[in-house]
mmCIF file of all heavy atoms in Angstrom:
data_model
loop_
_atom_site.group_PDB
_atom_site.id
_atom_site.type_symbol
_atom_site.label_atom_id
_atom_site.label_comp_id
_atom_site.label_asym_id
_atom_site.label_seq_id
_atom_site.Cartn_x
_atom_site.Cartn_y
_atom_site.Cartn_z
ATOM 1 N N HIS A 184 14.446 24.886 -47.271
ATOM 2 C CA HIS A 184 13.887 23.713 -46.590
ATOM 3 C C HIS A 184 13.108 22.845 -47.571
ATOM 4 O O HIS A 184 13.086 21.623 -47.456
ATOM 5 C CB HIS A 184 12.995 24.161 -45.433
ATOM 6 C CG HIS A 184 12.568 23.047 -44.530
ATOM 7 N ND1 HIS A 184 13.454 22.275 -43.811
ATOM 8 C CD2 HIS A 184 11.333 22.572 -44.225
ATOM 9 C CE1 HIS A 184 12.789 21.377 -43.098
ATOM 10 N NE2 HIS A 184 11.502 21.527 -43.343
ATOM 11 N N LEU A 185 12.451 23.482 -48.545
ATOM 12 C CA LEU A 185 11.733 22.765 -49.587
ATOM 13 C C LEU A 185 12.608 22.494 -50.805
ATOM 14 O O LEU A 185 12.126 21.955 -51.802
ATOM 15 C CB LEU A 185 10.500 23.563 -50.023
ATOM 16 C CG LEU A 185 9.407 23.767 -48.971
ATOM 17 C CD1 LEU A 185 8.298 24.653 -49.535
ATOM 18 C CD2 LEU A 185 8.833 22.440 -48.507
ATOM 19 N N GLU A 186 13.866 22.904 -50.715
ATOM 20 C CA GLU A 186 14.810 22.803 -51.835
ATOM 21 C C GLU A 186 14.327 23.599 -53.043
ATOM 22 O O GLU A 186 14.537 23.208 -54.193
ATOM 23 C CB GLU A 186 15.072 21.329 -52.195
ATOM 24 C CG GLU A 186 15.697 20.552 -51.050
ATOM 25 C CD GLU A 186 16.090 19.137 -51.425
ATOM 26 O OE1 GLU A 186 15.749 18.687 -52.533
ATOM 27 O OE2 GLU A 186 16.763 18.479 -50.601
ATOM 28 N N TYR A 187 13.695 24.720 -52.776
ATOM 29 C CA TYR A 187 13.274 25.645 -53.832
ATOM 30 C C TYR A 187 14.372 26.654 -54.166
ATOM 31 O O TYR A 187 14.220 27.441 -55.100
ATOM 32 C CB TYR A 187 12.020 26.419 -53.403
ATOM 33 C CG TYR A 187 10.736 25.623 -53.363
ATOM 34 C CD1 TYR A 187 9.553 26.229 -52.920
ATOM 35 C CD2 TYR A 187 10.676 24.293 -53.767
ATOM 36 C CE1 TYR A 187 8.354 25.530 -52.879
ATOM 37 C CE2 TYR A 187 9.477 23.587 -53.716
ATOM 38 C CZ TYR A 187 8.314 24.215 -53.282
ATOM 39 O OH TYR A 187 7.123 23.531 -53.231
ATOM 40 N N ASP A 188 15.449 26.652 -53.400
ATOM 41 C CA ASP A 188 16.516 27.617 -53.634
ATOM 42 C C ASP A 188 17.244 27.298 -54.941
ATOM 43 O O ASP A 188 17.582 26.154 -55.213
ATOM 44 C CB ASP A 188 17.513 27.619 -52.476
ATOM 45 C CG ASP A 188 18.027 26.219 -52.146
ATOM 46 O OD1 ASP A 188 17.199 25.314 -51.894
ATOM 47 O OD2 ASP A 188 19.262 26.030 -52.153
ATOM 48 N N ASP A 189 17.466 28.335 -55.739
ATOM 49 C CA ASP A 189 18.205 28.217 -56.999
ATOM 50 C C ASP A 189 19.510 28.987 -56.822
ATOM 51 O O ASP A 189 19.618 30.162 -57.181
ATOM 52 C CB ASP A 189 17.379 28.780 -58.148
ATOM 53 C CG ASP A 189 18.040 28.581 -59.513
ATOM 54 O OD1 ASP A 189 19.211 28.152 -59.557
ATOM 55 O OD2 ASP A 189 17.378 28.873 -60.530
ATOM 56 N N LEU A 190 20.495 28.316 -56.247
ATOM 57 C CA LEU A 190 21.759 28.985 -55.946
ATOM 58 C C LEU A 190 22.493 29.412 -57.207
ATOM 59 O O LEU A 190 23.208 30.423 -57.196
ATOM 60 C CB LEU A 190 22.634 28.077 -55.092
ATOM 61 C CG LEU A 190 22.168 27.908 -53.640
ATOM 62 C CD1 LEU A 190 22.986 26.844 -52.935
ATOM 63 C CD2 LEU A 190 22.242 29.227 -52.893
ATOM 64 N N ALA A 191 22.308 28.681 -58.295
ATOM 65 C CA ALA A 191 22.969 29.065 -59.546
ATOM 66 C C ALA A 191 22.461 30.414 -60.042
ATOM 67 O O ALA A 191 23.222 31.189 -60.648
ATOM 68 C CB ALA A 191 22.742 27.991 -60.609
ATOM 69 N N ALA A 192 21.198 30.716 -59.772
ATOM 70 C CA ALA A 192 20.613 31.967 -60.261
ATOM 71 C C ALA A 192 21.202 33.189 -59.564
ATOM 72 O O ALA A 192 21.146 34.296 -60.106
ATOM 73 C CB ALA A 192 19.093 31.942 -60.074
ATOM 74 N N VAL A 193 21.747 33.000 -58.361
ATOM 75 C CA VAL A 193 22.270 34.145 -57.607
ATOM 76 C C VAL A 193 23.771 34.026 -57.373
ATOM 77 O O VAL A 193 24.345 34.782 -56.587
ATOM 78 C CB VAL A 193 21.530 34.302 -56.256
ATOM 79 C CG1 VAL A 193 20.059 34.602 -56.480
ATOM 80 C CG2 VAL A 193 21.692 33.049 -55.397
ATOM 81 N N ALA A 194 24.405 33.077 -58.053
ATOM 82 C CA ALA A 194 25.836 32.840 -57.826
ATOM 83 C C ALA A 194 26.681 33.945 -58.447
ATOM 84 O O ALA A 194 26.264 34.647 -59.370
ATOM 85 C CB ALA A 194 26.234 31.491 -58.416
ATOM 86 N N GLY A 195 27.875 34.093 -57.920
ATOM 87 C CA GLY A 195 28.825 35.068 -58.434
ATOM 88 C C GLY A 195 29.172 36.100 -57.392
ATOM 89 O O GLY A 195 28.456 36.286 -56.397
ATOM 90 N N PRO A 196 30.292 36.809 -57.592
ATOM 91 C CA PRO A 196 30.735 37.794 -56.603
ATOM 92 C C PRO A 196 29.675 38.864 -56.348
ATOM 93 O O PRO A 196 29.029 39.352 -57.273
ATOM 94 C CB PRO A 196 31.986 38.394 -57.254
ATOM 95 C CG PRO A 196 32.462 37.357 -58.214
ATOM 96 C CD PRO A 196 31.230 36.677 -58.716
ATOM 97 N N ALA A 197 29.504 39.200 -55.087
ATOM 98 C CA ALA A 197 28.583 40.275 -54.726
ATOM 99 C C ALA A 197 29.062 41.595 -55.317
ATOM 100 O O ALA A 197 30.261 41.804 -55.524
ATOM 101 C CB ALA A 197 28.482 40.385 -53.207
ATOM 102 N N ASP A 198 28.132 42.484 -55.587
ATOM 103 C CA ASP A 198 28.418 43.761 -56.250
ATOM 104 C C ASP A 198 29.490 44.532 -55.474
ATOM 105 O O ASP A 198 29.246 44.995 -54.353
ATOM 106 C CB ASP A 198 27.132 44.567 -56.339
ATOM 107 C CG ASP A 198 27.290 45.866 -57.122
ATOM 108 O OD1 ASP A 198 28.427 46.211 -57.481
ATOM 109 O OD2 ASP A 198 26.267 46.528 -57.367
ATOM 110 N N PRO A 199 30.672 44.730 -56.054
ATOM 111 C CA PRO A 199 31.738 45.420 -55.320
ATOM 112 C C PRO A 199 31.487 46.921 -55.183
ATOM 113 O O PRO A 199 32.135 47.579 -54.354
ATOM 114 C CB PRO A 199 32.986 45.143 -56.166
ATOM 115 C CG PRO A 199 32.458 44.953 -57.547
ATOM 116 C CD PRO A 199 31.119 44.290 -57.387
ATOM 117 N N ASP A 200 30.567 47.464 -55.975
ATOM 118 C CA ASP A 200 30.299 48.899 -55.930
ATOM 119 C C ASP A 200 29.273 49.280 -54.869
ATOM 120 O O ASP A 200 29.080 50.464 -54.596
ATOM 121 C CB ASP A 200 29.817 49.385 -57.303
ATOM 122 C CG ASP A 200 30.888 49.226 -58.378
ATOM 123 O OD1 ASP A 200 32.077 49.412 -58.047
ATOM 124 O OD2 ASP A 200 30.531 48.912 -59.522
ATOM 125 N N ALA A 201 28.602 48.288 -54.295
ATOM 126 C CA ALA A 201 27.618 48.577 -53.254
ATOM 127 C C ALA A 201 28.322 48.907 -51.940
ATOM 128 O O ALA A 201 29.460 48.496 -51.695
ATOM 129 C CB ALA A 201 26.691 47.377 -53.063
ATOM 130 N N ASP A 202 27.630 49.643 -51.080
ATOM 131 C CA ASP A 202 28.184 49.972 -49.764
ATOM 132 C C ASP A 202 28.104 48.790 -48.808
ATOM 133 O O ASP A 202 28.967 48.624 -47.934
ATOM 134 C CB ASP A 202 27.439 51.168 -49.166
ATOM 135 C CG ASP A 202 27.604 52.420 -50.006
ATOM 136 O OD1 ASP A 202 28.755 52.758 -50.350
ATOM 137 O OD2 ASP A 202 26.581 53.056 -50.339
ATOM 138 N N VAL A 203 27.057 47.972 -48.959
ATOM 139 C CA VAL A 203 26.899 46.785 -48.117
ATOM 140 C C VAL A 203 26.168 45.727 -48.932
ATOM 141 O O VAL A 203 25.318 46.039 -49.762
ATOM 142 C CB VAL A 203 26.139 47.124 -46.812
ATOM 143 C CG1 VAL A 203 24.721 47.582 -47.092
ATOM 144 C CG2 VAL A 203 26.143 45.945 -45.847
ATOM 145 N N ARG A 204 26.510 44.460 -48.685
ATOM 146 C CA ARG A 204 25.979 43.348 -49.451
ATOM 147 C C ARG A 204 25.317 42.357 -48.478
ATOM 148 O O ARG A 204 25.955 41.898 -47.526
ATOM 149 C CB ARG A 204 27.113 42.657 -50.229
ATOM 150 C CG ARG A 204 27.687 43.532 -51.355
ATOM 151 C CD ARG A 204 29.147 43.277 -51.607
ATOM 152 N NE ARG A 204 29.956 43.817 -50.516
ATOM 153 C CZ ARG A 204 30.407 45.094 -50.490
ATOM 154 N NH1 ARG A 204 30.130 45.916 -51.481
ATOM 155 N NH2 ARG A 204 31.118 45.522 -49.470
ATOM 156 N N LEU A 205 24.032 42.022 -48.739
ATOM 157 C CA LEU A 205 23.263 41.185 -47.832
ATOM 158 C C LEU A 205 22.676 39.991 -48.577
ATOM 159 O O LEU A 205 22.073 40.146 -49.643
ATOM 160 C CB LEU A 205 22.118 41.981 -47.192
ATOM 161 C CG LEU A 205 22.512 43.229 -46.388
ATOM 162 C CD1 LEU A 205 21.264 43.947 -45.880
ATOM 163 C CD2 LEU A 205 23.437 42.867 -45.229
ATOM 164 N N GLY A 206 22.837 38.789 -47.999
ATOM 165 C CA GLY A 206 22.207 37.587 -48.504
ATOM 166 C C GLY A 206 20.999 37.237 -47.648
ATOM 167 O O GLY A 206 21.081 37.282 -46.419
ATOM 168 N N ILE A 207 19.868 36.895 -48.292
ATOM 169 C CA ILE A 207 18.618 36.658 -47.574
ATOM 170 C C ILE A 207 18.096 35.262 -47.911
ATOM 171 O O ILE A 207 18.002 34.887 -49.084
ATOM 172 C CB ILE A 207 17.532 37.697 -47.962
ATOM 173 C CG1 ILE A 207 18.099 39.120 -47.966
ATOM 174 C CG2 ILE A 207 16.338 37.579 -47.019
ATOM 175 C CD1 ILE A 207 18.598 39.613 -46.646
ATOM 176 N N ALA A 208 17.746 34.494 -46.896
ATOM 177 C CA ALA A 208 17.131 33.178 -47.074
ATOM 178 C C ALA A 208 16.193 32.921 -45.907
ATOM 179 O O ALA A 208 16.406 33.431 -44.800
ATOM 180 C CB ALA A 208 18.192 32.081 -47.136
ATOM 181 N N HIS A 209 15.165 32.116 -46.152
ATOM 182 C CA HIS A 209 14.310 31.753 -45.022
ATOM 183 C C HIS A 209 15.034 30.786 -44.093
ATOM 184 O O HIS A 209 15.201 31.062 -42.907
ATOM 185 C CB HIS A 209 13.001 31.131 -45.497
ATOM 186 C CG HIS A 209 12.181 30.599 -44.363
ATOM 187 N ND1 HIS A 209 11.654 31.424 -43.393
ATOM 188 C CD2 HIS A 209 11.855 29.324 -43.998
ATOM 189 C CE1 HIS A 209 11.018 30.695 -42.484
ATOM 190 N NE2 HIS A 209 11.124 29.420 -42.825
ATOM 191 N N ALA A 210 15.479 29.654 -44.637
ATOM 192 C CA ALA A 210 16.092 28.618 -43.816
ATOM 193 C C ALA A 210 17.609 28.647 -43.981
ATOM 194 O O ALA A 210 18.106 28.579 -45.101
ATOM 195 C CB ALA A 210 15.546 27.241 -44.201
ATOM 196 N N PRO A 211 18.356 28.714 -42.882
ATOM 197 C CA PRO A 211 19.819 28.860 -42.963
ATOM 198 C C PRO A 211 20.547 27.541 -43.172
ATOM 199 O O PRO A 211 21.325 27.084 -42.316
ATOM 200 C CB PRO A 211 20.170 29.495 -41.612
ATOM 201 C CG PRO A 211 19.135 28.946 -40.678
ATOM 202 C CD PRO A 211 17.873 28.827 -41.495
ATOM 203 N N TYR A 212 20.293 26.908 -44.312
ATOM 204 C CA TYR A 212 21.027 25.691 -44.651
ATOM 205 C C TYR A 212 22.462 26.043 -45.025
ATOM 206 O O TYR A 212 22.724 27.083 -45.627
ATOM 207 C CB TYR A 212 20.331 24.948 -45.789
ATOM 208 C CG TYR A 212 19.184 24.083 -45.313
ATOM 209 C CD1 TYR A 212 17.929 24.637 -45.048
ATOM 210 C CD2 TYR A 212 19.358 22.725 -45.099
ATOM 211 C CE1 TYR A 212 16.880 23.856 -44.597
ATOM 212 C CE2 TYR A 212 18.315 21.927 -44.643
ATOM 213 C CZ TYR A 212 17.079 22.493 -44.393
ATOM 214 O OH TYR A 212 16.049 21.712 -43.926
ATOM 215 N N LEU A 213 23.377 25.159 -44.674
ATOM 216 C CA LEU A 213 24.799 25.451 -44.841
ATOM 217 C C LEU A 213 25.173 25.696 -46.300
ATOM 218 O O LEU A 213 26.054 26.510 -46.587
ATOM 219 C CB LEU A 213 25.640 24.322 -44.245
ATOM 220 C CG LEU A 213 25.519 24.146 -42.725
ATOM 221 C CD1 LEU A 213 26.380 22.975 -42.270
ATOM 222 C CD2 LEU A 213 25.914 25.422 -41.991
ATOM 223 N N ARG A 214 24.535 25.001 -47.248
ATOM 224 C CA ARG A 214 24.886 25.202 -48.652
ATOM 225 C C ARG A 214 24.626 26.643 -49.081
ATOM 226 O O ARG A 214 25.371 27.219 -49.879
ATOM 227 C CB ARG A 214 24.115 24.232 -49.558
ATOM 228 C CG ARG A 214 22.597 24.450 -49.571
ATOM 229 C CD ARG A 214 21.880 23.464 -50.485
ATOM 230 N NE ARG A 214 20.445 23.718 -50.563
ATOM 231 C CZ ARG A 214 19.549 23.231 -49.730
ATOM 232 N NH1 ARG A 214 19.936 22.439 -48.733
ATOM 233 N NH2 ARG A 214 18.257 23.503 -49.875
ATOM 234 N N VAL A 215 23.570 27.247 -48.518
ATOM 235 C CA VAL A 215 23.236 28.635 -48.846
ATOM 236 C C VAL A 215 24.201 29.589 -48.153
ATOM 237 O O VAL A 215 24.737 30.515 -48.775
ATOM 238 C CB VAL A 215 21.782 28.951 -48.440
ATOM 239 C CG1 VAL A 215 21.437 30.401 -48.748
ATOM 240 C CG2 VAL A 215 20.810 28.006 -49.155
ATOM 241 N N LEU A 216 24.447 29.349 -46.869
ATOM 242 C CA LEU A 216 25.368 30.203 -46.121
ATOM 243 C C LEU A 216 26.761 30.156 -46.734
ATOM 244 O O LEU A 216 27.428 31.193 -46.861
ATOM 245 C CB LEU A 216 25.430 29.764 -44.657
ATOM 246 C CG LEU A 216 24.104 29.652 -43.895
ATOM 247 C CD1 LEU A 216 24.377 29.298 -42.440
ATOM 248 C CD2 LEU A 216 23.275 30.918 -44.013
ATOM 249 N N ASP A 217 27.199 28.964 -47.115
ATOM 250 C CA ASP A 217 28.537 28.817 -47.694
ATOM 251 C C ASP A 217 28.675 29.628 -48.980
ATOM 252 O O ASP A 217 29.694 30.300 -49.190
ATOM 253 C CB ASP A 217 28.835 27.347 -47.985
ATOM 254 C CG ASP A 217 29.052 26.513 -46.723
ATOM 255 O OD1 ASP A 217 29.239 27.106 -45.645
ATOM 256 O OD2 ASP A 217 29.019 25.273 -46.832
ATOM 257 N N GLN A 218 27.650 29.561 -49.843
ATOM 258 C CA GLN A 218 27.754 30.290 -51.106
ATOM 259 C C GLN A 218 27.719 31.791 -50.884
ATOM 260 O O GLN A 218 28.533 32.528 -51.465
ATOM 261 C CB GLN A 218 26.639 29.889 -52.075
ATOM 262 C CG GLN A 218 26.702 30.692 -53.385
ATOM 263 C CD GLN A 218 25.815 30.149 -54.458
ATOM 264 O OE1 GLN A 218 25.890 28.974 -54.808
ATOM 265 N NE2 GLN A 218 24.950 31.007 -55.015
ATOM 266 N N PHE A 219 26.803 32.269 -50.056
ATOM 267 C CA PHE A 219 26.724 33.713 -49.813
ATOM 268 C C PHE A 219 28.034 34.233 -49.215
ATOM 269 O O PHE A 219 28.521 35.294 -49.597
ATOM 270 C CB PHE A 219 25.562 34.039 -48.880
ATOM 271 C CG PHE A 219 24.205 34.040 -49.544
ATOM 272 C CD1 PHE A 219 23.056 33.881 -48.792
ATOM 273 C CD2 PHE A 219 24.072 34.230 -50.904
ATOM 274 C CE1 PHE A 219 21.801 33.899 -49.375
ATOM 275 C CE2 PHE A 219 22.824 34.250 -51.515
ATOM 276 C CZ PHE A 219 21.673 34.079 -50.744
#
Side-chain angles (χ1 to χ4, degrees):
H184 190 61
L185 295 176
E186 298 186 352
Y187 288 177
D188 52 305
D189 185 351
L190 288 172
V193 297
D198 185 353
D200 296 324
D202 297 310
V203 64
R204 292 149 288 272
L205 302 177
I207 314 298
H209 173 65
Y212 278 81
L213 295 179
R214 65 180 183 273
V215 179
L216 306 184
D217 289 346
Q218 178 168 306
F219 282 159

